[in-house]
Every structure is written in structure tokens, then in C-alpha cells.
Amino acid sequence: MARHSLLLFAAAILAAVVAAASGCSKSDREALLGFRQALNEPYLGLFNSWTGSNCCVNWYGVSCDAATGRVTDVNLRGESEDPIFEKAGRSGYMTGKISPAICGIDTLTTLVVADWKDISGEIPACVTSLSSLRILDLIGNKLSGEIPSDIGRLNRLTVLNLADNTLAGKIPSSITQLTSLKHLDLSNNLLTGEIPKDFGNLAMLSRALLNRNQLTGSIPVSISKIYRLADLDLSVNRLTGSVPFELGKMPVLSVLNLDSNSFQGLIPESLLSNGGMGILNLSRNGFEGSIPDVFGSHSYFMALDLSYNNLKGRVPTSLASAKYIGHLDLSHNHLCGTIPVGAPFDHLEASSFGFNDCLCGNPLKTC
């Protein structure tokens, strides 16, 4: 048995040596050169290293499987601490398009073409054929068109980052098939339509950033089923309706940004009584009624922003018993009465309470 294991180990070492000696596969090299041909990087000369027959050795941003010699990673970041960038004293800049030639590398697990500022064109539809892909990061370019409708085919994907582009159209319904996805960032695009109703199928998701788009409709209740979700940002959209009570019952959710939408109705008590909620921004909406008086010693808010709504009544007295309130903004509402006294209020400025109907007490005028 030991002899058999030794032979297998020796065979693996031999395969790695042979792969290293022979270089990357011819088809992978051709695919990379086709990909490079569609791009122009004028300042740093990153592609100057893409010469010679072996693309697995010293080709900037390219990594290979040592055993097979096949390309697995293309990692090109325009914002990097790489010495090349530090020596040049500048961030990256690149024009051109992402060529479908890259899809010829069917062993890719990582495709990063991020923060180059001026890469345009559409995401190649064939990207969804890269069945081994785990990371797709195209943030910070000028990509246009729509997200490929069959993006859900990439069932091994753990990171999908398409933020800071000019992508339009709807969020594809197939995106909810990405059940291995942990990080989703579609922020700062031109996406329209509704959030898919079965968004909650993304059971492994920990961050969902859909802010700064033109999304409409309501928040799907199914989101509350995502047990691992810690950060949800739906701010600066055109979302309407009420906020599901169930969001406040999510065990891991600690950051919730819903500001700058058109939500209405009452603020769910569950959002304010959840001891794990650290950042809650509900500002610039149409919330009505009073602020739920549900704070306590478990409350620890680094930031709580309820400004620019239609809230009435008093500032909750239970806020004074909160363990910590870092930033509080209740301004631009219709609140009245005396501001409670307590440690969480000692460091707050008048701007936290300004532009209400009849609030008084420190740090405002005396009652």
C-alpha cells in the first residue's frame, strides 16, 4: 500500500515537472493573446510580460495548475499594491473590451479585470460557459449592456462583482441559481426592474450590495431566509412598499442600508430591537408613525439614521438605555417633546435633532 502511494506521488511530481517544462497549453496561450489584443494598457506595460511560449511563467496576472499546465486564474487589478503600480505612482488605466477569446480557457476559476476605468463593451455572453469559474470580478470599468441572462449556469461561483459600471436591464432571474454565491455586488449601475422574488435561494450569501441602481418594486420577503447574510445594501433605488418585519429577525444581519428609496408605512420594531444590528440607515424615505420604543442595554448602533422621513411623536426614552449609539440622525421629521437624557446623547450635536416640529432639550434649546 505504501509502495502504491509512493508511486502515485512520484507520478504527480513527474506530471508537474513535465507540465512546467512544456509550458501552458497552446489553446490557452492563444486565448490569452486574443484577450490581450482587445485591450490597451498604455502606461505600465503590464502586457509586455506576455511573451514567449510558456504563459504559466512570468505572464503578469496569469496563474496555472502546476500539474496540468492549464491556466486557472487571470487576475488583473487596476487598483493594486503591486510594486509596478507603486513605482509608477499611479493606478491602472486601460481601454478596449473584454474579448470572448477568454472563454477559450475552460479551466478558468478566477477572472478579474477590475478597476481599469475605461474598459467598455458588453460582458461576453460566453463567460457563462466557464463552468469552473468561482470568482468573476469586473468592478470599476465602463461595461454596458445587460448581465448575461444565463449567469445562473455558473453554479460554482462564490464572488460576483460587477459594480461601478453602466450595466442596464433587469437582474436576471437565473442569478438565484448561484447557490454557492457568498459575495454579490451589482452596485452603481443602471439596473432596472424588480429584485427577483426568490432571491432568498442564495443561501450562502453574506453580502448583497444592489445600491445605486434604478430598481423598483418591493423587498422580497424571501431575503429573510438567507441565514448568513450580514450586509444588505438596497439604498439609492426606487423601491417602494413596506419593509418586511422578517428582516429584523435575521440572526447575522448587522448592516442594513435602505436609504433614498420610497418606502412607506411603519418602521418594523424588529429592526430596532435586534441586538446584532450595528448600522441601520432608513433615511430619505416616507416612513410614518412613531419611532418604536424598543431599545435597551442590548442596543449597540455604530450608526442609526432615520432622518428625512415623516416620523411623529417623541424620541423614544428607551434610547437612553442603549449600550452605545455612535451616530444618530433623527433630523427632518415631525418629532416633538423632550430629548431624553443619558450617555448615548452626551456626544450628539444639534444637527442630529434639527428640523423637527417641536423638539427641545440638550443639545437643542431648553424646554
Side-chain angles (χ1 to χ4, degrees):
M1 185 69 178
R3 176 185 170 86
H4 179 68
S5 298
L6 186 61
L7 287 172
L8 287 176
F9 178 74
I13 294 294
L14 180 61
V17 170
V18 170
S22 60
C24 66
S25 78
K26 182 179 179 181
S27 61
D28 287 357
R29 182 178 180 276
E30 290 176 351
L32 286 172
L33 292 177
F35 168 75
R36 171 193 172 181
Q37 190 173 13
L39 296 169
N40 177 39
E41 190 282 294
Y43 298 116
L44 301 175
L46 298 183
F47 289 131
N48 292 342
S49 64
W50 286 29
T51 58
S53 61
N54 191 351
C55 62
C56 293
V57 178
N58 296 328
W59 281 40
Y60 185 88
V62 177
S63 301
C64 298
D65 184 300
T68 65
R70 295 296 309 277
V71 173
T72 56
D73 300 353
V74 174
N75 194 334
L76 300 172
R77 293 190 181 276
E79 302 287 344
S80 174
E81 295 181 358
D82 188 288
I84 294 177
F85 292 82
E86 293 185 359
K87 184 178 180 180
R90 62 171 299 136
S91 59
Y93 177 79
M94 202 182 295
T95 60
K97 303 180 185 302
I98 298 177
S99 170
I102 198 67
C103 304
I105 308 175
D106 58 9
T107 51
L108 269 187
T109 61
T110 299
L111 177 58
V112 176
V113 185
D115 295 313
W116 293 103
K117 304 176 183 64
D118 217 8
I119 294 176
S120 57
E122 299 187 2
I123 300 171
C126 61
V127 163
T128 62
S129 68
L130 298 173
S131 58
S132 297
L133 207 59
R134 289 178 170 81
I135 297 174
L136 178 59
D137 188 348
L138 308 177
I139 187 177
N141 292 293
K142 287 185 178 178
L143 299 176
S144 57
E146 299 186 0
I147 299 171
S149 60
D150 57 347
I151 192 77
R153 294 174 61 191
L154 298 174
N155 56 18
R156 296 185 180 182
L157 209 61
T158 60
V159 174
L160 177 59
N161 191 351
L162 306 178
D164 300 338
N165 282 287
T166 58
L167 297 170
K170 296 183 178 181
I171 299 174
S173 58
S174 73
I175 205 168
T176 62
Q177 298 170 21
L178 300 175
T179 53
S180 298
L181 201 63
K182 296 179 181 179
H183 177 100
L184 174 64
D185 192 349
L186 306 179
S187 62
N188 199 24
N189 278 288
L190 303 172
L191 299 174
T192 56
E194 299 188 359
I195 302 170
K197 296 299 181 188
D198 54 352
F199 197 84
N201 289 350
L202 300 173
M204 300 297 291
L205 205 59
S206 61
R207 298 190 78 198
L209 311 178
L210 308 181
N211 52 299
R212 296 189 178 277
N213 281 288
Q214 300 170 17
L215 300 175
T216 54
S218 57
I219 300 176
V221 177
S222 68
I223 288 181
S224 64
K225 297 190 304 181
I226 307 177
Y227 181 86
R228 293 174 171 82
L229 191 62
D231 186 350
L232 176 62
D233 194 341
L234 304 178
S235 63
V236 197
N237 277 290
R238 300 173 182 176
L239 299 171
T240 56
S242 58
V243 175
F245 178 88
E246 292 85 349
L247 291 187
K249 296 297 183 180
M250 297 176 68
V252 183
L253 189 64
S254 59
V255 178
L256 179 60
N257 291 307
L258 302 179
D259 54 291
S260 302
N261 281 286
S262 297
F263 293 118
Q264 295 180 324
L266 304 177
I267 295 176
E269 292 185 5
S270 59
L271 294 181
L272 299 180
S273 62
N274 185 339
M277 191 71 71
I279 296 176
L280 178 62
N281 191 342
L282 304 180
S283 66
R284 299 180 186 275
N285 280 287
F287 290 110
E288 302 171 329
S290 59
I291 302 173
D293 199 358
V294 292
F295 300 92
S297 58
H298 61 280
S299 302
Y300 192 102
F301 284 96
M302 289 176 283
L304 175 60
D305 193 342
L306 307 180
S307 63
Y308 290 91
N309 280 290
N310 296 314
L311 300 171
K312 299 179 180 179
R314 306 176 68 87
V315 178
T317 56
S318 61
L319 258 175
S321 63
K323 185 175 183 180
Y324 179 74
I325 304 286
H327 169 79
L328 176 68
D329 194 345
L330 305 180
S331 66
H332 296 272
N333 280 289
H334 302 287
L335 302 173
C336 264
T338 305
I339 297 172
V341 177
F345 298 94
D346 292 345
H347 66 284
L348 298 177
E349 299 181 356
S351 58
S352 294
F353 304 97
F355 298 95
N356 277 285
D357 288 0
C358 46
L359 278 180
C360 60
N362 190 52
L364 300 180
K365 63 181 181 181
T366 55
C367 297

